[in-house]
Amino acid sequence: GDQMEFARAKHIKYFTRCLQALPSSVQSMDNNRMTLVFFCISGLDVLGAHDVLNEHRESVVRWIKSLEIFPTDGRCGFRGSTFLGVPFNVQREDDDGFKFDHGHLAMTYTALATLAVLGDDLSGVHRAEIAESLAALQSDDGCFRCTHDSGEKDMRFLYCACTIAHLLGDWRGVDKARAVAYVRSSREYDGGYAQNPGSESHGGSTFCALAALKLMGQLDTALTAAERAQTLDWLLMRQHDGFQGRPHKPVDTCYSFWIAGSLAILDSLHLIDADANRKFLLSVQCSAIGGLSKHPDVMADPLHSYMGLAGLSLLQFDDLQLSAVDPVLNISKQAVQNLEAART
């Protein structure tokens, strides 16, 4: 529905409900449940719903920590849920696990990020082992596989590896020179970045590439001024009212974060039409149940609800009263500060 009011209370209810039960439409996502919890918890954080977070904090932290893989043979990190039938184990006694039970980079990133949002200092996590295990996932070309037994390998997981190293404050498992070389090799003729060298430029992989360079402290050295200007052009061309992820595609809510976040990393967010993007994002709110959808008039889902709110936050409209989001790590700036303070 085309309602220009910001439905804060409904969005808080939507994320709270998704923490309890999810619609059958996301059943196939069960092995990625960690990411869904991240969208809900971080969404509540961006909305400033601290009373709801306080209520769920203890049980969510326990659940996340129950999904940590105990370090064996360099396999560690976090699994996405109990979908393999591994028993819920809060005591986390050391067990050998079994062959197919291993961490996944996206689940480890979202687990650590969610713990940071909930104010956990990560002291109960096997930080050194997780940091070290990243080395075994990095390929000769500099990219990262998502799991230890092969799995997908593309720019998303290079970004996840960099966020994990940053959140842990430990880069020992990342060969930065090789990672930067991979990012450079995935740059395409039009100035965008692809998931792999020679593939199509894409808003999501461009964000992952730029954010990873920023985390590695290489953003200014890995891009020439001319390359930076070309990438900036490619990003700005993605706006219609909202943003599309690639040329000739319809606009889609999540790119209000991926593209705007990329522009924020390049200190160029002021060049977009913020009012048009705000209008688009408010038009994808689901008036009945809360949450935001991918396009107007389809159902809300946790991913687009969170990415839409994160995108709205980047626009810095005071009347929306959203917590400021760190565009590189995709969690609130407050969560980043809390983690840094807990470390010192």
Side-chain angles (χ1 to χ4, degrees), residues 1 3 5-18 23 47 281-295 297-306 309:
Q3 44 165 139
E5 287 291 306
F6 181 56
R8 170 190 302 279
K10 280 185 176 168
H11 299 325
I12 291 173
K13 270 189 176 158
Y14 174 79
F15 285 126
T16 309
R17 198 167 52 245
C18 287
L47 287 162
L281 288 170
L282 292 182
S283 78
V284 296
Q285 296 181 104
C286 291
S287 52
I289 60 164
L292 286 78
S293 57
K294 179 177 177 138
H295 309 295
D297 305 319
V298 297
M299 280 294 284
D301 64 80
L303 182 149
H304 289 90
S305 298
Y306 176 64
L309 288 177

Side-chain angles (χ1 to χ4, degrees), residues 39-339:
F39 296 139
C40 295
I41 294 293
S42 203
L44 289 164
D45 185 34
V46 173
L47 287 162
H50 299 296
D51 50 338
V52 183
L53 287 178
N54 288 336
E55 195 185 319
H56 290 279
R57 173 173 284 110
E58 204 176 313
S59 62
V60 173
V61 167
R62 273 177 59 216
W63 180 78
I64 292 173
K65 289 186 175 178
S66 78
L67 292 170
E68 192 186 355
I69 309 273
F70 279 83
T72 47
D73 313 328
R75 288 185 318 180
C76 51
F78 288 81
R79 53 176 90 85
S81 73
T82 49
F83 68 98
L84 281 172
V86 181
F88 181 75
N89 180 4
V90 181
Q91 277 70 43
R92 305 180 338 132
E93 282 109 17
D94 211 342
D95 62 70
D96 293 335
F98 63 102
K99 187 180 165 199
F100 301 108
D101 189 24
H102 42 64
H104 184 291
L105 279 186
M107 304 308 138
T108 303
Y109 154 52
T110 47
L112 296 175
T114 309
L115 288 172
V117 168
L118 291 170
D120 190 85
D121 64 2
L122 308 184
S123 59
V125 171
H126 291 90
R127 290 175 297 184
E129 291 88 342
I130 292 173
E132 201 164 322
S133 73
L134 296 174
L137 296 173
Q138 191 169 15
S139 303
D140 294 341
D141 62 6
C143 196
F144 286 79
R145 292 194 315 279
C146 60
T147 62
H148 281 277
D149 70 338
S150 72
E152 299 172 287
K153 183 187 86 166
D154 58 52
M155 195 68 77
R156 294 171 301 173
F157 304 115
L158 187 146
Y159 167 73
C160 289
C162 290
T163 54
I164 291 163
H166 181 84
L167 290 168
L168 294 173
D170 186 340
W171 284 83
R172 75 179 85 175
V174 177
D175 182 331
K176 289 186 184 178
R178 277 193 298 162
V180 170
Y182 185 82
V183 172
R184 285 194 57 77
S185 69
S186 301
R187 182 184 175 85
E188 299 308 323
Y189 71 92
D190 54 7
Y193 290 82
Q195 294 284 31
N196 309 100
S199 298
E200 185 182 5
S201 295
H202 184 282
S205 40
T206 299
F207 168 83
C208 289
L210 295 172
L213 290 176
K214 181 80 174 169
L215 287 166
M216 291 187 282
Q218 302 286 322
L219 186 61
D220 297 326
T221 47
L223 282 175
T224 65
E227 285 173 334
R228 190 180 178 119
Q230 189 194 20
T231 298
L232 189 54
D233 265 357
W234 187 87
L235 290 164
L236 290 169
M237 294 294 283
R238 303 285 69 78
Q239 182 168 25
H240 293 253
D241 47 358
F243 290 87
Q244 59 182 185
R246 290 176 280 168
H248 311 299
K249 289 283 189 178
V251 295
D252 173 336
T253 300
C254 63
Y255 295 106
S256 287
F257 177 78
W258 304 124
I259 302 285
S262 300
L263 289 164
I265 290 166
L266 295 175
D267 300 319
S268 302
L269 194 52
H270 59 284
L271 298 173
I272 70 165
D273 183 341
D275 290 318
N277 191 32
R278 171 188 170 127
K279 199 171 172 185
F280 169 75
L281 288 170
L282 292 182
S283 78
V284 296
Q285 296 181 104
C286 291
S287 52
I289 60 164
L292 286 78
S293 57
K294 179 177 177 138
H295 309 295
D297 305 319
V298 297
M299 280 294 284
D301 64 80
L303 182 149
H304 289 90
S305 298
Y306 176 64
M307 293 300 172
L309 288 177
L312 268 177
S313 163
L314 291 176
L315 303 177
Q316 296 182 329
F317 283 107
D318 291 341
D319 63 314
L320 298 177
Q321 297 181 310
L322 294 169
S323 308
V325 166
D326 182 307
V328 181
L329 296 169
N330 196 5
I331 53 177
S332 71
K333 290 184 175 178
Q334 189 60 56
V336 178
Q337 282 167 14
N338 293 350
L339 187 59

